[in-house]
Amino acid sequence: MAVNPPELDAALHVPGFRIGTASCGVKAPELKGKRTDLTIIAADVDCHAAGTFTQNRLRAACVDLGEKAIHEHGSDIRGIVANSGNANAGTGIREAEWAQMMIAATAESLAVAPEQLLSASTGVIGTPFPIERIESGIRAASTCEADWQGAANAIRTTDTYAKWASRRVGDFTMTGIAKGSGMIHPNMATMLGFIATDAPLSRDQMQPMLKRVVRQSFNAISVDGDTSTNDTVYLLASGLGLGHAPIQDVAEFEAALTSLCIELAQMIVRDGEGVSKFVTIQIKGAASEKDAYQVGRTIAVSPLVKTAFAGSDANWGRIVAAAGNAGIAFDADRISLSCDDVMMMENGQLHPDYCDEAGMAVFAQSEFSICLNLGMGDSEATIWTGDLTHEYITINAEYRT
Amino acid sequence: MAVNPPELDAALHVPGFRIGTASCGVKAPELKGKRTDLTIIAADVDCHAAGTFTQNRLRAACVDLGEKAIHEHGSDIRGIVANSGNANAGTGIREAEWAQMMIAATAESLAVAPEQLLSASTGVIGTPFPIERIESGIRAASTCEADWQGAANAIRTTDTYAKWASRRVGDFTMTGIAKGSGMIHPNMATMLGFIATDAPLSRDQMQPMLKRVVRQSFNAISVDGDTSTNDTVYLLASGLGLGHAPIQDVAEFEAALTSLCIELAQMIVRDGEGVSKFVTIQIKGAASEKDAYQVGRTIAVSPLVKTAFAGSDANWGRIVAAAGNAGIAFDADRISLSCDDVMMMENGQLHPDYCDEAGMAVFAQSEFSICLNLGMGDSEATIWTGDLTHEYITINAEYRT
């Protein structure tokens, strides 16, 4: 089940990048050959790179290694290796060793230095990492230019469909892939996103740009409020587009990157575990953007709000009650709430025209928007989320069985 | 469904207090006469009073009025009036008016001043308050000394059983009632608790004592992470016990009050919406008690942890991942985790003796404990919570229908 999953156009080839995938049976030996679970994104040239990482205090070793590599080798990154099926997290001292072995095997296969590679893992936490099966998959993976869709497929865990998107900006191309379905919440959830471009971005441009973009896209979604140990977004720039000429309009490039990342992030929500409704939460009139996001996220994680979505019950009192839990100062008599074009509350008062039937009609749809105006300022934020359904319980009560 | 609900001894009469209940059909006129939904706790003498209130920014008017009454009339409170079925919250300017009308009707009936009364409401948010039906119920309610159990029954919403507890400390008596099943989370969730005692407590003693007690009891439980607009705990002391002699051992009294409130709070978790397991989360080795509670609460609200409980799946990686989301500083290589007597992790390493079968056996029980030691200090906290089940979704997706 996924909410109106988009029909995707073919992913665009990005000059300078080749893709390899393999089936290692990471999750269980008997799955070997049945589905791909290893992805290599190989760069033909030294790339500039940026990354954003989980804010979970218990970060997987691969996240620490990735951050270090971005810091020390952000000008000469040669690729990314990622596996699904095991997060290589919560296993203690061997975690870093296993992550380094995965990188070393890939470096050998690509004939680059291990320091030039980034890695990512997603899957079960707290289970020993099957490094032998992964190493053998790395050796078996052969890379070809066009297989971004195969890469998007191989990083899936409980995702029901592969997620990719491409953009052209002037003469440049960007293609991104992402995965994520559960443990999805702002601050990076087991959510991986890898974006490659041939645009000649400088390192100094890339990191702040990625941070801004992620705030409005991957960090603006929530499926279940759990932030994973392994969340990572990488942006690689080969600079191979248009003879290395500089980007004419960086703002236009950033807008395209934002749009690409929002598209991928929305795909994750649409494919959220058990999600049957796709809900856009707009917070307006906040004193700051930070406040706006905080209120939006608090609404997006409220089990009572999410079950009201699931039940098509316009029990909108739960939305304002959840907003009140965000720890943000606002006055009850200034808030206004509408869902699509139905006003529930205006300046803290019940809207005289509101009737429950109109609210119910909005909540019965598979997609709708909520707009909460706090009346405290001019800042706003948009968060995308889903509902909380029986299927979420079924998926997660039985994830490992 | 409730997890091992306790068989309750009869509530003890507390000198100085009488109880009245009525059936008003608050939620819907056709329910009138079918179940009680109005409670009056009348004090024969001026009582000292203390209260703790929801931290939700959107507090119901009755909460504001209650806090004001405690502040201004905390030495001469004459009773509490409470209704279930409608929270009288999220409805704007008429909220305060309705709350005052409910108090005024009770004041008239009891022949006391309105300022001397406390009120509380619980139920649906954002629906106009049926004040006429409530006023007529207030006029109909006659008070008798022994009906604490009737009071506990009349404040229920989705609670499957009535919750009360009594204690004797030396020559004094205390009896408390509570309600709560959904929207339950530390910081007061639609959770009401009223405790009366005949002990001669001073106002100055009572408020800090209640605050300490609530932190370890009602604020140490979580069903669904949603904090309500109406949470309230009131403590009334008539001073009528043992000829107004002072309390010999205040610490002993506070210990009894803590034990009573923990008993009521645990009843709420056992009766949590859809809860099929009762789980005790102990956080040890924290740098501060605040940190310990923060980590415990973050684990207690994680949908992935709660669905693992529901599925009897010892997917303990989700517990440490949730701890990592608490925003509290700790080192991965110092944490230890056990569930009942099964060690999963010790000083950040997988415990060599751990096998999944042993973990599964723990999680299969209807009650078990989790102990997470952060290795950062000597502070600890205990939180009680339940699992997240299909039944929770069913109850909350269809609450109003």
Side-chain angles (χ1 to χ4, degrees):
Chain A
M1 185 165 77
V3 186
N4 307 332
E7 289 194 25
L8 302 178
D9 295 327
L12 298 176
H13 166 59
V14 185
F17 297 94
R18 286 168 296 115
I19 306 294
T21 61
S23 177
C24 313
V26 174
K27 194 170 179 184
E30 63 270 23
L31 295 173
K32 186 170 174 175
K34 293 199 176 142
R35 54 160 299 183
T36 53
D37 51 13
L38 183 100
T39 301
I40 297 172
I41 301 175
D44 297 328
V45 296
D46 290 351
C47 289
H48 292 174
T52 63
F53 305 94
T54 182
Q55 297 301 306
N56 191 305
R57 173 70 49 172
L58 293 181
R59 306 208 306 188
C62 58
V63 176
D64 286 331
L65 291 174
E67 192 166 53
K68 187 161 174 275
I70 291 280
H71 186 68
E72 295 176 1
H73 289 271
S75 293
D76 57 349
I77 290 295
R78 292 299 293 270
I80 301 169
V81 56
N83 74 277
S84 62
N86 187 314
N88 190 21
T91 52
I93 203 161
R94 301 212 54 194
E95 225 175 280
E97 199 183 310
W98 286 324
Q100 277 159 336
M101 288 169 78
M102 180 162 124
I103 287 172
T106 312
E108 195 184 333
S109 173
L110 299 180
V112 299
E115 306 81 55
Q116 293 179 287
L117 290 180
L118 305 169
S119 74
S121 296
T122 176
V124 179
I125 299 167
T127 298
F129 198 58
I131 186 65
E132 295 78 11
R133 297 203 292 276
I134 288 174
E135 286 171 332
S136 114
I138 290 168
R139 286 189 292 271
S142 64
T143 54
C144 73
E145 288 187 342
D147 200 20
W148 281 102
Q149 297 171 203
N153 199 51
I155 59 172
R156 289 165 53 201
T157 51
T158 51
D159 304 63
T160 66
Y161 60 91
K163 301 167 179 72
W164 68 82
S166 295
R167 294 284 186 283
R168 280 199 176 283
V169 197
D171 297 299
F172 304 114
T173 305
M174 61 179 92
T175 289
I177 60 173
K179 67 83 45 180
S181 186
M183 226 187 238
I184 298 295
H185 187 59
N187 288 321
M188 305 280 91
T190 298
M191 208 229 66
L192 302 178
F194 306 140
I195 307 120
T197 180
D198 57 351
L201 295 163
S202 73
R203 281 182 72 181
D204 290 347
Q205 281 177 310
M206 284 171 76
Q207 189 64 40
M209 181 188 291
L210 184 63
K211 213 173 152 187
R212 286 191 295 271
V213 167
V214 166
R215 190 177 64 232
Q216 298 170 69
S217 55
F218 295 114
N219 278 357
I221 60 173
S222 182
V223 171
D224 54 14
D226 266 306
T227 301
S228 143
T229 49
N230 290 48
D231 305 332
T232 304
V233 172
Y234 285 129
L235 170 64
L236 302 187
S238 71
L240 291 183
L242 198 72
H244 306 227
I247 297 180
Q248 297 296 319
D249 187 341
V250 175
E252 185 192 23
F253 184 89
E254 181 166 336
L257 183 62
T258 303
S259 138
L260 180 145
C261 288
I262 287 177
E263 184 178 342
L264 289 172
Q266 291 187 347
M267 282 186 219
I268 290 173
V269 174
R270 288 179 187 285
D271 198 21
E273 289 173 352
V275 166
S276 74
K277 305 203 174 178
F278 178 82
V279 184
T280 302
I281 300 175
Q282 293 179 288
I283 307 299
K284 296 187 173 174
S288 69
E289 194 188 48
K290 196 176 160 216
D291 280 9
Y293 275 112
Q294 181 64 24
V295 172
R297 286 174 193 181
T298 305
I299 295 170
V301 300
S302 160
L304 288 170
V305 169
K306 293 168 95 77
T307 47
F309 293 162
S312 298
D313 180 5
N315 193 344
W316 57 267
R318 293 179 179 175
I319 297 172
V320 294
N325 283 329
I328 299 302
F330 60 89
D331 294 335
D333 59 2
R334 292 202 205 170
I335 62 174
S336 299
L337 177 75
S338 60
C339 296
D340 280 358
D341 53 357
V342 176
M343 281 292 281
M344 275 85 173
M345 188 176 244
E346 196 166 28
N347 299 322
Q349 307 304 318
L350 287 177
H351 195 277
D353 297 340
Y354 178 71
C355 69
D356 224 25
E357 291 67 32
M360 293 293 190
V362 172
F363 276 56
Q365 304 168 102
S366 65
E367 302 198 17
F368 55 93
S369 290
I370 287 166
C371 181
L372 179 67
N373 194 315
L374 301 176
M376 300 293 284
D378 294 322
S379 295
E380 37 186 88
T382 303
I383 298 273
W384 297 277
T385 192
D387 53 351
L388 176 58
T389 63
H390 285 292
E391 201 185 338
Y392 179 86
I393 308 288
T394 301
I395 292 168
N396 283 297
E398 298 159 13
Y399 178 49
R400 302 193 312 166
T401 53
Chain B
M1 185 166 74
V3 185
N4 306 332
E7 290 194 25
L8 302 179
D9 293 327
L12 298 177
H13 165 59
V14 186
F17 297 94
R18 285 168 296 115
I19 306 292
T21 60
S23 177
C24 314
V26 174
K27 195 171 178 184
E30 63 269 24
L31 294 174
K32 185 169 174 176
K34 293 197 177 142
R35 54 160 299 184
T36 53
D37 50 12
L38 182 99
T39 300
I40 297 173
I41 300 176
D44 296 327
V45 295
D46 290 352
C47 289
H48 291 174
T52 63
F53 304 94
T54 182
Q55 296 302 305
N56 191 307
R57 173 69 50 171
L58 294 181
R59 306 207 307 187
C62 58
V63 176
D64 286 332
L65 291 174
E67 193 167 53
K68 187 160 171 279
I70 292 279
H71 186 67
E72 295 176 1
H73 289 270
S75 294
D76 57 349
I77 290 296
R78 291 298 293 269
I80 302 171
V81 56
N83 75 277
S84 62
N86 187 314
N88 190 20
T91 52
I93 202 162
R94 300 212 53 193
E95 224 175 283
E97 199 182 310
W98 286 324
Q100 276 158 336
M101 288 167 79
M102 179 161 123
I103 287 172
T106 311
E108 195 184 332
S109 173
L110 299 181
V112 300
E115 306 80 56
Q116 293 179 287
L117 290 179
L118 306 169
S119 74
S121 296
T122 176
V124 178
I125 300 168
T127 298
F129 198 58
I131 186 64
E132 293 80 9
R133 297 203 292 275
I134 287 173
E135 286 171 332
S136 112
I138 289 169
R139 286 190 292 269
S142 64
T143 53
C144 71
E145 288 189 342
D147 201 20
W148 283 100
Q149 299 172 201
N153 198 51
I155 59 172
R156 289 165 55 201
T157 51
T158 52
D159 303 62
T160 66
Y161 60 91
K163 300 166 180 72
W164 69 82
S166 295
R167 293 284 187 283
R168 280 201 176 281
V169 197
D171 296 298
F172 304 114
T173 305
M174 61 179 93
T175 288
I177 61 173
K179 66 80 50 180
S181 186
M183 224 186 240
I184 297 296
H185 188 57
N187 288 322
M188 304 283 90
T190 298
M191 206 229 68
L192 302 178
F194 306 140
I195 306 121
T197 180
D198 57 351
L201 294 163
S202 74
R203 282 183 72 181
D204 290 348
Q205 280 177 310
M206 283 172 76
Q207 189 64 39
M209 182 188 290
L210 184 64
K211 212 173 153 186
R212 287 191 296 272
V213 167
V214 166
R215 189 177 65 233
Q216 299 170 67
S217 56
F218 295 113
N219 278 357
I221 60 173
S222 183
V223 170
D224 54 15
D226 267 306
T227 301
S228 141
T229 49
N230 290 49
D231 305 332
T232 304
V233 172
Y234 285 128
L235 170 63
L236 302 188
S238 71
L240 290 184
L242 199 69
H244 307 226
I247 297 181
Q248 296 298 320
D249 187 341
V250 175
E252 185 194 22
F253 184 88
E254 181 166 337
L257 183 63
T258 303
S259 140
L260 179 145
C261 288
I262 287 176
E263 184 178 342
L264 289 172
Q266 290 187 349
M267 282 187 219
I268 290 174
V269 174
R270 289 180 187 284
D271 198 22
E273 288 174 349
V275 165
S276 75
K277 302 201 175 179
F278 178 83
V279 184
T280 302
I281 300 175
Q282 292 179 287
I283 307 299
K284 296 187 173 174
S288 69
E289 193 188 48
K290 195 175 162 215
D291 281 10
Y293 275 112
Q294 180 64 23
V295 171
R297 286 174 193 181
T298 306
I299 295 170
V301 300
S302 161
L304 288 169
V305 169
K306 292 169 97 78
T307 48
F309 293 161
S312 298
D313 180 5
N315 193 344
W316 57 266
R318 292 179 178 175
I319 298 172
V320 294
N325 283 329
I328 299 302
F330 60 88
D331 295 335
D333 59 2
R334 291 200 204 171
I335 62 174
S336 299
L337 178 74
S338 60
C339 296
D340 280 357
D341 53 356
V342 176
M343 282 290 283
M344 275 85 173
M345 189 177 244
E346 196 167 28
N347 298 321
Q349 307 303 317
L350 287 177
H351 195 276
D353 297 339
Y354 178 70
C355 69
D356 225 24
E357 289 68 31
M360 292 294 189
V362 172
F363 276 56
Q365 304 169 102
S366 65
E367 302 199 17
F368 56 91
S369 291
I370 287 167
C371 182
L372 178 67
N373 193 316
L374 301 175
M376 300 294 283
D378 293 323
S379 296
E380 35 186 272
T382 303
I383 298 272
W384 297 277
T385 192
D387 52 351
L388 176 58
T389 63
H390 286 292
E391 200 185 338
Y392 179 86
I393 308 288
T394 301
I395 292 169
N396 283 297
E398 297 159 15
Y399 179 48
R400 302 195 310 166
T401 55

